[in-house]
Amino acid sequence: VLVGTGADEQLAGYSRHRTKFRNAGWTGLTEELVMEVNRLSSRNLGRDDRIISDHGRESRLPFLDEDVVSFLNSLPIWWKADLNLPRGVGEKLLLRLLAHRLGLTQGAILPKRAIQFGSRIAKMEGGTKKRGTDLCQGL
């Protein structure tokens, strides 16, 4: 299973990155991204591996490939993201430009959504507010 883990952490894809950029500029954003990449293994990878393995699959993490990480680390932050641009454009800018060049023009400008909201599964149970950790009763 191809997993996108590492893209948001390296290319400023989370909304909290906009807040950090607004409050601390490029330096603060860079420090935040370094911290997030460094804690990926303790925060996400174990959990994700257990879930994927439980379904008899193996994950592939192209954004955490050593060469990809080295390449992205060699670029200035403003090539990877420009959080002065609107949501759905400025975060993961490098990835969005690549998607656009490959002809994925609509997908290149969609704002990020957490999977539980992007799939609209949270709306299946009516108008009550849902959290990502809530179990969907409609499945």
Side-chain angles (χ1 to χ4, degrees):
V1 176
L2 283 176
V3 181
T5 302
D8 289 312
E9 292 81 1
Q10 295 180 85
L11 300 169
Y14 293 120
S15 59
R16 65 180 172 264
H17 296 142
R18 283 190 178 277
T19 303
K20 185 58 128 177
F21 176 69
R22 254 191 324 270
N23 295 334
W26 293 113
T27 301
L29 177 60
T30 300
E31 290 169 357
E32 181 81 7
L33 297 182
V34 167
M35 180 194 66
E36 289 196 7
V37 168
N38 287 337
R39 70 180 182 193
L40 261 175
S41 61
S42 63
R43 191 171 192 184
N44 299 57
L45 296 179
R47 175 202 63 207
D48 295 351
D49 186 57
R50 284 189 301 277
I51 292 168
I52 292 167
S53 297
D54 192 47
H55 289 82
R57 301 292 184 259
E58 239 180 70
S59 61
R60 296 293 180 256
L61 306 152
F63 292 104
L64 296 180
D65 177 84
E66 208 173 310
D67 292 333
V68 173
V69 172
S70 292
F71 172 72
L72 291 174
N73 282 335
S74 75
L75 300 176
I77 184 66
W78 50 87
W79 285 14
K80 299 185 269 188
D82 185 351
L83 302 183
N84 292 305
L85 295 173
R87 187 170 175 264
V89 179
E91 64 281 328
K92 296 190 280 189
L93 181 61
L94 187 63
L95 195 56
R96 292 175 184 281
L97 291 171
L98 176 61
H100 190 272
R101 185 172 184 156
L102 292 172
L104 304 170
T105 54
Q106 291 296 331
I109 58 171
L110 290 173
K112 176 185 176 58
R113 286 181 185 230
I115 192 166
Q116 68 271 25
F117 305 119
S119 67
R120 307 269 195 247
I121 198 167
K123 291 188 176 201
M124 288 178 66
E125 295 185 22
T128 59
K129 187 165 176 78
K130 300 291 177 200
R131 295 176 299 171
T133 55
D134 290 346
L135 188 61
C136 179
Q137 300 301 315
L139 296 178

